[in-house]
Amino acid sequence: MEKAIVVRPVFEPDRRIIAVSDIHGNLPFFQALMEQIHLTPRDILILLGDFLEKGRDSLALLRYVITLSQTHTVYPVCGNCDGLVLRFFETDELDRRFFASYLHWHPESTLRQMARERGVDQVEDLPRLRRDLRAAFPEEWAWLRTMPTIVETEHLLFVHGGVPSLEGMEELDRWSCMKNDNFLGQGRHFDKWVIVGHWPVTLYHPDIPSSAPIFDRERKIISIDGACVLKVDGQLNALMLPAEDSEDFTWTYWDGLPTARAMDPQAVSENPLNIRWGRSALELLEEGEELSLCRHLETGRELRILNSYLHRDPERGLWCEDSTDYLLPVSAGDRLSVVQKISAGALCKKDGVTGWYFGRLEQ
């Protein structure tokens, strides 16, 4: 068992603290978000893990962050995806039971991006691939080794997945801190703010698809993974504090979607449904040109789902990308992000929440 690496920096007063989680190799989103929040060298930037893997620019993002850390105060907390990349560099322990399959099926992996750049992209001889990457990327390897598991200050704790308590954290299993699914559902309470990523926040919502950070003030937990890269309507969230001892949390996000102005008001719908990853099995009732009527097997609810969101395979049967029948509450003049247009309206986002809008839109 590898034990958690805990660092306890002392932040100077009146320095803004910014936490960003689960970038997943999306360099354009990260750059746009940093520009939006006007990041300066005076700020303290916490990268809350999983800045690598799943996106197409993981290697470029890694180099960008390494360069950024030379001019800015950056704490790159290790997430499970980042830990896997480091694990390949460090040991062959997972070659047969993980990397032989994973690297074959994931050409977008950071390791495969590195291999392509060096002209050694192959997955048949993993020991040779490891030797090649170690020789070609010593700076990136060394930087990945510096990532802590937990950053703790007087009033705040940053960890990718979660922790069972604030006691004895140096004795915790490192991997369990990085990959801690459904952390909010575990009933944990803390006496300082614990900020986590890892689990896309929309998975916590059975009713509305929301990528907005979740603030549980009673238990002092904030979850900020906006499902960047993972979902069509995902976003990259930035959680901000004016100082380490403040509780004046604010947040903003970048989703890269086109925007339009709503010209008509729309009332919110009652009793909506949010079909989420892992709970998305369907029965097709009626096929349509743009939307198909389906029954959600878990709830028995019927709703119309975008045809482009429907998938069928031999093992899972019919299932869908995250889908909803939620009608956004909209006032005329609201600016909406547009996920997908159909003839009768559009799937849109407002304040990080996804839903349908059936009014007129103006660019």
Side-chain angles (χ1 to χ4, degrees), residues 84 93-104 126:
L84 284 173
E93 185 179 32
L94 296 181
D95 281 6
R96 289 187 177 181
R97 57 192 174 99
F98 180 75
F99 284 114
S101 173
Y102 176 79
L103 292 179
H104 175 76
L126 295 184

Side-chain angles (χ1 to χ4, degrees), residues 35-295:
E35 182 176 350
Q36 181 173 302
I37 66 175
H38 305 293
L39 180 73
T40 74
R42 178 69 182 166
D43 296 322
I44 297 169
L45 177 62
I46 312 287
L47 296 181
L48 201 51
D50 279 10
F51 61 94
L52 300 180
E53 296 299 277
K54 302 183 180 180
R56 64 183 184 183
D57 295 318
S58 286
L59 179 54
L61 176 64
L62 174 57
R63 287 172 168 157
Y64 185 86
V65 171
I66 291 174
T67 301
L68 185 68
S69 66
Q70 295 169 359
T71 56
H72 292 65
T73 304
V74 181
Y75 288 88
V77 175
C78 193
N80 54 294
C81 288
D82 318 312
L84 284 173
V85 175
L86 177 60
R87 192 75 172 267
F88 184 81
F89 273 93
E90 299 279 274
T91 176
D92 63 0
E93 185 179 32
L94 296 181
D95 281 6
R96 289 187 177 181
R97 57 192 174 99
F98 180 75
F99 284 114
S101 173
Y102 176 79
L103 292 179
H104 175 76
W105 291 107
H106 291 276
E108 82 288 348
S109 168
T110 313
L111 297 165
R112 294 285 300 275
Q113 291 179 31
M114 290 175 166
R116 283 195 296 274
E117 180 176 285
R118 303 303 299 180
V120 295
D121 189 17
Q122 56 82 26
V123 294
E124 292 76 25
D125 187 345
L126 295 184
R128 180 164 62 88
L129 178 61
R130 179 176 294 103
R131 289 194 300 270
D132 290 338
L133 297 188
R134 283 176 171 178
F137 298 94
E139 181 184 0
E140 290 83 356
W141 179 18
W143 193 86
L144 289 170
R145 296 181 77 179
T146 67
M147 293 187 297
T149 318
I150 298 166
V151 174
E152 183 183 25
T153 66
E154 183 179 358
H155 302 96
L156 307 167
L157 185 137
F158 301 91
V159 59
H160 180 65
V163 292
S165 76
L166 303 181
E167 302 297 324
M169 290 188 293
E170 283 86 355
E171 297 303 314
L172 293 175
D173 173 47
R174 190 181 189 196
W175 182 254
S176 297
C177 296
M178 295 188 288
K179 184 170 171 50
N180 190 325
D181 297 349
N182 191 25
F183 183 60
L184 281 178
Q186 297 171 14
R188 310 289 185 188
H189 292 73
F190 300 94
D191 57 12
K192 67 172 60 177
W193 286 102
V194 175
I195 298 103
V196 300
H198 180 62
W199 197 245
V201 292
T202 189
L203 297 180
Y204 290 115
H205 298 287
D207 48 359
I208 61 171
S210 174
S211 296
I214 296 174
F215 295 81
D216 190 326
R217 294 188 175 274
E218 181 180 349
R219 297 193 291 157
K220 286 204 165 184
I221 301 174
I222 304 175
S223 185
I224 68 171
D225 179 3
C228 175
V229 173
L230 304 184
K231 303 187 184 298
V232 177
D233 56 345
Q235 63 193 40
L236 189 59
N237 293 321
L239 178 73
M240 294 171 286
L241 271 174
E244 192 277 338
D245 61 352
S246 172
E247 294 195 352
D248 186 17
F249 293 100
T250 59
W251 67 278
T252 189
Y253 69 93
W254 183 265
D255 62 15
L257 294 169
T259 64
R261 185 174 65 88
M263 299 178 65
D264 306 300
Q266 175 176 275
V268 66
S269 58
E270 297 182 1
N271 193 28
L273 173 66
N274 177 24
I275 299 179
R276 298 156 286 163
W277 171 79
R279 317 175 78 135
S280 57
L282 303 171
E283 176 189 0
L284 179 63
L285 301 178
E286 178 184 317
E287 190 170 353
E289 291 187 5
E290 298 175 305
L291 304 168
S292 290
L293 182 64
C294 299
R295 178 180 290 112

